[in-house]
Structures are given as C-alpha cells and as structure tokens.
Amino acid sequence: MDKTQPHPVFKLATELGPLLVFFVANAKFNLFVATGAFMVAIVAAMIASYVVVRHVPMMAIVTAVIVLVFGTLTLVLHDETFIKVKPTIIYGLFAAVLGGGLLFGRSFIAVMFDQMFNLTPKGWRILTMRWAVFFFGMAILNEIIWRTQSTDFWVNFKVFGVTPLTMIFGIAQMPLVKRYHLEPATLEASEADAGDVSKG
C-alpha cells in the first residue's frame, strides 16, 4: 500500500529531534533529566509523524517502546545503566530479527525500513544480511563505549556518532540497491516472491 512520503526535512526532524533534546538536556542538567526529556520527545515525534503522514514506521515504534521501558527503569531505579544499555538491546533485537528471518528464508528488512525501494529476492537477502551484521556491530560498540567511557562521552557518541555511522553505512548500500532494483515493468510479476529470499 502506498504511503504519503513526508518531506525529508520533517523526516530528519522527527528522527534527530529527540536525540538533540537528549543531548541538550544532558548538557544543561544530567542524564536523568535528559532521559525524561528524551522519552517525551520520542513520543511527540511519533505523534507528529502520525498526524502528518498517518503512519509510523515499525522501526520507530519498536525503538520508542524500548526507550519508554528502559527510560522508565532508569528514572524509577535511578540507575544510568538501563538507558545506556538500551541501544544495545535495540541493535541486538534488530540484528536477531533480521538474522533469524534469514534462517527461515525470510527478509524483514523491508518491514523495518518501510520498504522505501523494491529489490529482487536476492537483493533483499544480501541487504538484510548486511544490516544484521551492522546492527550486531553497533550493539557491541555501544557496550564497549558505555562500559569504558564517561557518560558525557557516551551521550556525544549516541547523538553525533551513531547517526553519521548509520547514514554512511546506508549510503554505502546504494550500489547494491541499484544492482538489484526491480524495474516497474517487472515489479508486478515478482510481487509474489518479494518476501521469499529462498528463491534468490
């Protein structure tokens, strides 16, 4: 089903806005205030996304749920560990879902990224495998940083490190996307097999 595509600036604002709120609140106050502000901001971003395009990406929903759960634990127990380990849980979950799907011959990357493009089954399989490895690597990286560096360093990495790394990795996948892109003329014929990576 076709969805209304939001303006790139609006999409960027809803994705980076909560992170910037988190960064500013941590700089002015502390991690606990930043956590509460982050929770409010991420819910506001989801509401704004639904109001504008009547749709919230699955990836954003899963991320928001984990943020709210671990953010609440952080505030109630007054323990920074929960909010710091939150990215590890998110990345690990995404890696497990993508990797587990491949074991059963399925590619869930289209669902996670709201299927912004159409690929052959082989293309989906390769792209899914790459993103699974990326998320697994990011989970390990987050664990290393929060366990060995200061809170401020971790916050800076979360805001100014994760997004550029993700964007660079995503851009690096464009040759793959172009190589396995389905032309409109062949899309309808391949629609039945779009989610069956075992036919690649």
PDB file of all heavy atoms in Angstrom, residues 40 79 91 98 126 135 168 190:
ATOM      1  N   VAL A  40       9.764  11.973  26.356  1.00  0.00           N
ATOM      2  CA  VAL A  40       8.697  12.871  25.906  1.00  0.00           C
ATOM      3  C   VAL A  40       8.888  13.227  24.432  1.00  0.00           C
ATOM      4  O   VAL A  40       7.935  13.216  23.640  1.00  0.00           O
ATOM      5  CB  VAL A  40       8.675  14.156  26.755  1.00  0.00           C
ATOM      6  CG1 VAL A  40       7.685  15.169  26.170  1.00  0.00           C
ATOM      7  CG2 VAL A  40       8.314  13.837  28.203  1.00  0.00           C
ATOM      8  N   ASP A  79      19.079   4.588  38.004  1.00  0.00           N
ATOM      9  CA  ASP A  79      20.259   3.839  37.591  1.00  0.00           C
ATOM     10  C   ASP A  79      20.533   4.112  36.111  1.00  0.00           C
ATOM     11  O   ASP A  79      19.708   3.791  35.255  1.00  0.00           O
ATOM     12  CB  ASP A  79      20.033   2.342  37.816  1.00  0.00           C
ATOM     13  CG  ASP A  79      21.296   1.520  37.610  1.00  0.00           C
ATOM     14  OD1 ASP A  79      22.236   2.011  36.946  1.00  0.00           O
ATOM     15  OD2 ASP A  79      21.338   0.384  38.114  1.00  0.00           O
ATOM     16  N   TYR A  91      19.710  -2.573  19.054  1.00  0.00           N
ATOM     17  CA  TYR A  91      20.523  -3.090  17.958  1.00  0.00           C
ATOM     18  C   TYR A  91      20.557  -4.614  17.960  1.00  0.00           C
ATOM     19  O   TYR A  91      20.501  -5.254  16.905  1.00  0.00           O
ATOM     20  CB  TYR A  91      21.949  -2.548  18.054  1.00  0.00           C
ATOM     21  CG  TYR A  91      22.043  -1.047  17.902  1.00  0.00           C
ATOM     22  CD1 TYR A  91      22.865  -0.299  18.754  1.00  0.00           C
ATOM     23  CD2 TYR A  91      21.319  -0.370  16.927  1.00  0.00           C
ATOM     24  CE1 TYR A  91      22.954   1.083  18.624  1.00  0.00           C
ATOM     25  CE2 TYR A  91      21.391   1.002  16.797  1.00  0.00           C
ATOM     26  CZ  TYR A  91      22.213   1.719  17.646  1.00  0.00           C
ATOM     27  OH  TYR A  91      22.294   3.075  17.526  1.00  0.00           O
ATOM     28  N   LEU A  98      16.486  -9.742  11.960  1.00  0.00           N
ATOM     29  CA  LEU A  98      16.935  -9.843  10.580  1.00  0.00           C
ATOM     30  C   LEU A  98      17.669 -11.157  10.324  1.00  0.00           C
ATOM     31  O   LEU A  98      17.412 -11.846   9.336  1.00  0.00           O
ATOM     32  CB  LEU A  98      17.843  -8.661  10.229  1.00  0.00           C
ATOM     33  CG  LEU A  98      17.183  -7.283  10.252  1.00  0.00           C
ATOM     34  CD1 LEU A  98      18.205  -6.196   9.928  1.00  0.00           C
ATOM     35  CD2 LEU A  98      16.026  -7.214   9.261  1.00  0.00           C
ATOM     36  N   ILE A 126      20.725 -10.148   0.565  1.00  0.00           N
ATOM     37  CA  ILE A 126      22.049  -9.573   0.789  1.00  0.00           C
ATOM     38  C   ILE A 126      21.951  -8.319   1.663  1.00  0.00           C
ATOM     39  O   ILE A 126      22.731  -8.128   2.607  1.00  0.00           O
ATOM     40  CB  ILE A 126      22.732  -9.228  -0.547  1.00  0.00           C
ATOM     41  CG1 ILE A 126      22.958 -10.497  -1.369  1.00  0.00           C
ATOM     42  CG2 ILE A 126      24.062  -8.514  -0.303  1.00  0.00           C
ATOM     43  CD1 ILE A 126      23.503 -10.233  -2.762  1.00  0.00           C
ATOM     44  N   PHE A 135      23.969  -3.945  12.646  1.00  0.00           N
ATOM     45  CA  PHE A 135      23.310  -3.764  13.937  1.00  0.00           C
ATOM     46  C   PHE A 135      24.029  -4.541  15.041  1.00  0.00           C
ATOM     47  O   PHE A 135      24.149  -4.059  16.171  1.00  0.00           O
ATOM     48  CB  PHE A 135      21.843  -4.194  13.862  1.00  0.00           C
ATOM     49  CG  PHE A 135      20.953  -3.208  13.153  1.00  0.00           C
ATOM     50  CD1 PHE A 135      20.082  -3.625  12.155  1.00  0.00           C
ATOM     51  CD2 PHE A 135      20.989  -1.867  13.487  1.00  0.00           C
ATOM     52  CE1 PHE A 135      19.260  -2.711  11.505  1.00  0.00           C
ATOM     53  CE2 PHE A 135      20.168  -0.941  12.843  1.00  0.00           C
ATOM     54  CZ  PHE A 135      19.306  -1.375  11.843  1.00  0.00           C
ATOM     55  N   ILE A 168      26.274   6.723   6.793  1.00  0.00           N
ATOM     56  CA  ILE A 168      27.378   6.296   5.927  1.00  0.00           C
ATOM     57  C   ILE A 168      27.170   4.850   5.476  1.00  0.00           C
ATOM     58  O   ILE A 168      27.351   4.515   4.301  1.00  0.00           O
ATOM     59  CB  ILE A 168      28.733   6.440   6.656  1.00  0.00           C
ATOM     60  CG1 ILE A 168      29.064   7.916   6.844  1.00  0.00           C
ATOM     61  CG2 ILE A 168      29.849   5.748   5.871  1.00  0.00           C
ATOM     62  CD1 ILE A 168      30.269   8.173   7.727  1.00  0.00           C
ATOM     63  N   SER A 190       7.021 -10.003 -10.044  1.00  0.00           N
ATOM     64  CA  SER A 190       7.869 -10.529  -8.956  1.00  0.00           C
ATOM     65  C   SER A 190       7.248 -10.341  -7.584  1.00  0.00           C
ATOM     66  O   SER A 190       7.825 -10.756  -6.588  1.00  0.00           O
ATOM     67  CB  SER A 190       9.235  -9.824  -8.977  1.00  0.00           C
ATOM     68  OG  SER A 190       9.847  -9.976 -10.221  1.00  0.00           O
TER      69      SER A 190
END
